Amino acid sequence: DAGVIQSPRHEVTEMGQEVTLRCKPISGHNSLFWYRQTMMRGLELLIYFNNNVPIDDSGMPEDRFSAKMPNASFSTLKIQPSEPRDSAVYFCASGNTQYFGPGTRLTVL
Amino acid sequence: KNQVEQSPQSLIILEGKNCTLQCNYTVSPFSNLRWYKQDTGRGPVSLTIMTFSENTKSNGRYTATLDADTKQSSLHITASQLSDSASYICVVTPLGGNKLTFGTGTQLKVEL
């Protein structure tokens, strides 16, 4: 099993651009979580899905952030427009035991 | 507000020594408490998961303890190795939910 797969691993973009982060959960896992990690705030849950349905998106910072899970094997987290304060490492985790992916390091200039 | 606090914030020990990391939480009731290890540049990896009824759980040289009465947990690392250098994060799951509450972590460095 390849584990949770995230892409890209690194993303550098300019303020105002759209950013799309991708996640492929472990096959058979019904739940998927998006987290953001910064030095100041640690790990924060942004949103989680159960059976492809968003259950709790109260952690999504603002309307610039959106997440989708069109099927059981794929999810996206989109930021539009991006801002420098969005710079962080974004993790996807799958399953109730929450296996984490390697993360996407986002830098917004 | 549910909180998870960890101490110390950082720790340096010599290879081969033991150490204990602390976690105090206010999440109540909770379904489980986890300890994660996060290497630099990588995602967190689960070390132990304990339900509220468990007192201890081991994973190799890692042993976690839980005292639900005092709302404290500890992670003991035996015979530390250089590869133990990482951030250790205590995480609590509230009862009936999937929304984890994360501690800010203890940064451990093991030196020769």
Side-chain angles (χ1 to χ4, degrees):
Chain A
D1 192 341
V4 176
I5 299 173
Q6 291 187 246
S7 64
R9 292 295 312 277
H10 302 274
E11 176 82 25
V12 180
T13 190
E14 292 187 341
M15 182 174 64
Q17 297 298 306
E18 177 180 295
V19 175
T20 299
L21 311 180
R22 297 173 176 79
C23 175
K24 177 178 168 54
I26 293 172
S27 178
H29 284 185
N30 296 328
S31 51
L32 182 141
F33 305 78
W34 280 102
Y35 290 93
R36 177 172 67 177
Q37 186 176 38
T38 61
M39 287 292 292
M40 291 294 294
R41 301 171 69 94
L43 272 161
E44 302 173 283
L45 176 66
L46 299 176
I47 184 171
Y48 79 90
F49 295 84
N50 204 32
N51 293 320
N52 311 339
V53 176
I55 303 300
D56 187 339
D57 65 354
S58 59
M60 295 286 263
E62 47 198 271
D63 291 345
R64 298 184 297 105
F65 285 68
S66 63
K68 294 182 179 180
M69 192 164 186
N71 57 63
S73 59
F74 184 66
S75 177
T76 60
L77 177 68
K78 185 176 293 186
I79 308 173
Q80 166 64 18
S82 58
E83 297 182 1
R85 61 192 168 120
D86 302 329
S87 297
V89 181
Y90 291 81
F91 289 104
C92 173
S94 81
N96 290 331
T97 49
Q98 305 218 13
Y99 289 94
F100 280 75
T104 294
R105 180 173 294 278
L106 173 65
T107 303
V108 183
L109 303 174
Chain B
K1 179 182 176 182
N2 287 330
Q3 286 188 319
V4 177
E5 296 185 352
Q6 293 186 241
S7 63
Q9 190 173 7
S10 62
L11 182 63
I12 301 174
I13 62 173
L14 294 177
E15 186 182 30
K17 298 296 186 182
N18 303 334
C19 68
T20 300
L21 314 180
Q22 301 291 344
C23 173
N24 295 335
Y25 61 91
T26 61
V27 181
S28 183
F30 72 98
S31 64
N32 64 67
L33 184 146
R34 315 168 190 223
W35 282 92
Y36 280 90
K37 177 187 179 189
Q38 185 175 18
D39 292 311
T40 300
R42 301 202 167 189
V45 174
S46 180
L47 293 175
T48 62
I49 301 177
M50 292 181 289
T51 66
F52 64 90
S53 61
E54 294 180 291
N55 301 117
T56 186
K57 184 70 69 80
S58 290
N59 178 1
R61 295 180 297 102
Y62 301 101
T63 300
T65 63
L66 174 62
D67 185 335
D69 292 330
T70 61
K71 294 186 173 59
Q72 294 180 327
S73 176
S74 64
L75 179 69
H76 186 74
I77 304 175
T78 304
S80 61
Q81 300 176 358
L82 296 178
S83 59
D84 292 332
S85 297
S87 178
Y88 291 84
I89 306 171
C90 175
V91 186
V92 182
T93 305
L95 187 66
N98 271 334
K99 200 168 181 178
L100 308 185
T101 301
F102 289 82
T104 52
T106 292
Q107 189 68 40
L108 173 66
K109 185 173 183 181
V110 181
E111 295 182 335
L112 289 171

